[in-house]
Amino acid sequence: MANINEIAKQAGVSVSTVSRVLNNHPYVSEDKRAAVQKVIDELDYTPNRAAIDLIRRETRTIGVIMPYNNNQAFDQLLHGILNMSIEQDYSVTVLPTKYNKDKEISYLNMLKNKQLDGIIITSRSNDWESIIPFTKYGMIVACEYTDHPEIGCSYLDRYSSYLDVFQLLKEKGHTTVAFTTARGLESKSTQQTIAAYKNVFGELRPELHISDCYSMEDGSNAAKKLLSMNPRPTAVYANGDEVAGGFYQYALSIQLKVPDDLAIIGQENQPIGIGLGLSTVDHQLVKVGEQAFNLIISKSREKQKIPYRIIHRLSI
Amino acid sequence: MANINEIAKQAGVSVSTVSRVLNNHPYVSEDKRAAVQKVIDELDYTPNRAAIDLIRRETRTIGVIMPYNNNQAFDQLLHGILNMSIEQDYSVTVLPTKYNKDKEISYLNMLKNKQLDGIIITSRSNDWESIIPFTKYGMIVACEYTDHPEIGCSYLDRYSSYLDVFQLLKEKGHTTVAFTTARGLESKSTQQTIAAYKNVFGELRPELHISDCYSMEDGSNAAKKLLSMNPRPTAVYANGDEVAGGFYQYALSIQLKVPDDLAIIGQENQPIGIGLGLSTVDHQLVKVGEQAFNLIISKSREKQKIPYRIIHRLSI
DNA sequence: ATGAAAGCGCTAACAA
DNA sequence: TTGTTAGCGCTTTCAT
């Protein structure tokens, strides 16, 4: 395809003038501008983005590190990020890690080679010490809280949220309450859940915590295990509405009534929870994503807490 | 950050030699190679990607046009695409359109300005005539069938699949069967559903088709409408397992038994369907995505049909 | 208001 | 095996 020299030649002007009309600079006479535009249209010319990126030292592209894309929570985050990227005319590149440390680092290197202006980390497997050196090359924003001043944060206060829910359950008279998590102890959010639990109920009997829950099916399996205990839990806090849905389904299948026999509360206000009428705590992940994007492009390293809200339906 | 000239100077070699070690070219003596590598490590140097893209005329990045990211079906496609992109060391950029025609065209322009090597269209609002001119600038692959030879296709044979399901339902003795779709008549897949329906059942009473169904809640609402008809449908083919789940939920809530009073079959083998034991037709969207990606990077304009499979559970 | 020219950081053809 | 050099397509001083 034609380049800027070609346009300049055919329009009978210099490349600088062409560049000026391309970038809407002032101080271009109307006739020259028109002449240039005419040739641009005729030749169906578009400036080469790589050349512009090279000279401008920016790509207007940001990357999103996420373990999986086929997961409701990460999907909500991504959705928020995409919302803002459209408004701000940025591109976003998805960087799936499956929690592979090396992969994660290789993605961070895209900052170093100027392929990306910034990276949003929705979940990570490397520790901050390995990540922070890359802030030298571009903005890094996390969707979790961290003290490190180099990292901007758009986060939800999981601990408070978990505390709230467990307290609510306790107030309703539940003494044996179970909960599920996605990852195990290597995950900060699992650790926070456990801490909140202990804060409210004193101690945690290990069998009341089931990890590796992602789908409705996982929820059903967890319910099966939990509800065969004696005494069995009277309430469960699931790490997502799909998992909560699995609990609901299994409970019904063994003639337990929700919430009388089993109280259920999920997370993230997902479609299935709406359909099933499950109470949930909405961590507003879409907003978390939107805010993360805002931090990136405003080059801010602020720590921004996004409020959660408990949505009361009929399952607790 | 340092550039290739800096490395060359400090290593006491020419830039070509540096370039050669960077690209693992043969004909570099071991000592020079070592010297260069040493400086590269010391200076923590990484080649600038924009410069490489500029000269190579490729970005190793492909774009994925999709209406929404927060949708199970598109998510499966994206998942497949990401699977292959990791293997092939490509980046993928998400291009959300919300079915906005202009936005869609602006994304296609990223091919023209060399920002993207190729684009996968998972769903579109522009007609092919507007899209095809862009094949001049890069590969375009669609996740639907089209005759146009310029467009590679990784597609599912929706018509056959719909035909199969309706036939199955008919064989089971159902005469009044309803179905749901996402979009209305502007969508080819809706048109195909209707055509298959008419092929099997002769005519379609308009009230048996409900569009704009995306979530479980939409499914419940559709069920409410459908099941209050007289005579009411005895089977429903939902355009997704979440929608099917909504039907299931509503049917149970009014004491209808599945499948005796209402047979339900969904699509895409989603977690909720597994949890609820709903029969479904799995269009293998992950594979469709993977194949689309393969077509793009092998620069093939083939038409590849991905087989579907009906998964029999207990809801029909 | 316009143009000449010097890069941005890299690759590759050519020469040695 | 190595170096010189001419670009890739653009932006941006600096003159004029």
Side-chain angles (χ1 to χ4, degrees), chain B:
Chain B
M1 208 183 56
N3 63 20
I4 200 174
N5 292 296
E6 182 73 15
I7 305 293
K9 192 183 300 173
Q10 295 210 21
V13 299
S14 72
V15 291
S16 354
T17 299
V18 177
S19 176
R20 286 186 188 105
V21 348
L22 249 22
N23 296 285
N24 289 311
H25 280 302
Y27 306 129
V28 181
S29 66
E30 259 325 304
D31 45 336
K32 298 247 179 206
R33 185 183 298 275
V36 169
Q37 193 56 57
K38 181 158 169 286
V39 179
I40 287 178
D41 293 341
E42 279 171 12
L43 271 57
D44 192 32
Y45 165 78
T46 307
N48 180 308
R49 181 64 178 264
I52 296 175
D53 287 352
L54 174 59
I55 201 164
R56 285 215 213 286
R57 292 164 166 66
E58 65 164 30
T59 57
R60 292 190 78 81
T61 302
I62 72 123
V64 182
I65 287 183
M66 43 172 54
Y68 312 98
N69 83 102
N70 53 344
N71 169 295
Q72 285 266 9
F74 294 115
D75 219 51
Q76 285 187 46
L77 288 169
L78 182 59
H79 187 60
I81 293 166
L82 290 170
N83 280 165
M84 298 311 297
S85 77
I86 292 180
E87 273 186 31
Q88 305 290 334
D89 199 30
Y90 265 70
S91 294
V92 355
T93 290
V94 182
L95 311 171
T97 63
K98 298 186 182 174
Y99 286 121
N100 176 313
K101 286 190 178 196
D102 294 337
K103 197 78 204 165
E104 206 169 283
I105 294 294
S106 80
Y107 288 143
L108 290 166
N109 262 307
M110 294 172 80
L111 242 32
K112 194 171 164 191
N113 67 21
K114 313 259 102 198
Q115 197 170 175
L116 254 26
D117 291 350
I119 284 182
I120 295 173
I121 299 179
T122 65
S123 187
R124 74 202 148 82
S125 23
N126 285 281
D127 45 31
W128 285 118
E129 282 60 39
S130 319
I131 294 173
I132 286 172
F134 290 93
T135 58
K136 184 165 51 188
Y137 309 113
M139 286 295 300
I140 297 182
V141 163
C143 297
E144 70 176 284
Y145 180 82
T146 166
D147 261 335
H148 298 285
E150 301 90 340
I151 307 287
C153 302
S154 169
Y155 69 103
L156 40 140
D157 187 354
R158 288 187 182 275
Y159 181 73
S160 299
S161 135
Y162 296 153
L163 208 58
D164 257 22
V165 171
F166 287 132
Q167 232 136 23
L168 180 64
L169 258 16
K170 188 177 188 181
E171 281 163 20
K172 295 221 174 201
H174 297 284
T175 52
T176 309
V177 350
F179 63 91
T180 63
T181 58
R183 291 199 285 166
L185 290 172
E186 76 281 12
S187 144
K188 194 175 159 197
S189 92
T190 298
Q191 293 166 15
Q192 287 171 313
T193 315
I194 292 174
Y197 188 98
K198 288 184 176 167
N199 187 320
V200 173
F201 295 108
E203 62 159 348
L204 166 63
R205 286 162 47 204
E207 21 354 327
L208 291 174
H209 168 209
I210 296 189
S211 58
D212 297 301
C213 285
Y214 297 92
S215 68
M216 189 172 189
E217 202 179 4
D218 295 334
S220 283
N221 291 144
K224 189 168 186 176
K225 204 176 298 176
L226 250 13
L227 297 179
S228 67
M229 288 173 53
N230 195 348
R232 59 168 176 71
T234 58
V236 62
Y237 185 22
N239 61 308
D241 291 340
E242 287 212 349
V243 175
F247 269 88
Y248 182 83
Q249 197 54 30
Y250 184 80
L252 252 53
S253 80
I254 59 168
Q255 273 73 44
L256 290 185
K257 286 209 181 341
V258 175
D260 301 337
D261 301 322
L262 180 70
I264 301 173
I265 178 166
Q267 284 179 49
E268 307 331 341
N269 194 26
Q270 295 162 357
I272 184 174
I274 301 172
L276 258 29
L278 301 175
S279 299
T280 193
V281 11
D282 182 3
H283 289 112
Q284 306 206 88
L285 264 18
V286 174
K287 277 195 186 165
V288 172
E290 291 176 347
Q291 199 48 49
F293 188 90
N294 288 338
L295 289 177
I296 284 266
I297 62 165
S298 60
K299 306 227 176 299
S300 160
R301 300 173 197 281
E302 277 172 61
K303 317 289 183 186
Q304 298 213 338
K305 190 195 295 183
I306 306 298
Y308 57 88
R309 44 186 195 151
I310 296 183
I311 298 179
H312 293 274
R313 291 199 270 252
L314 302 171
S315 65
I316 60 168

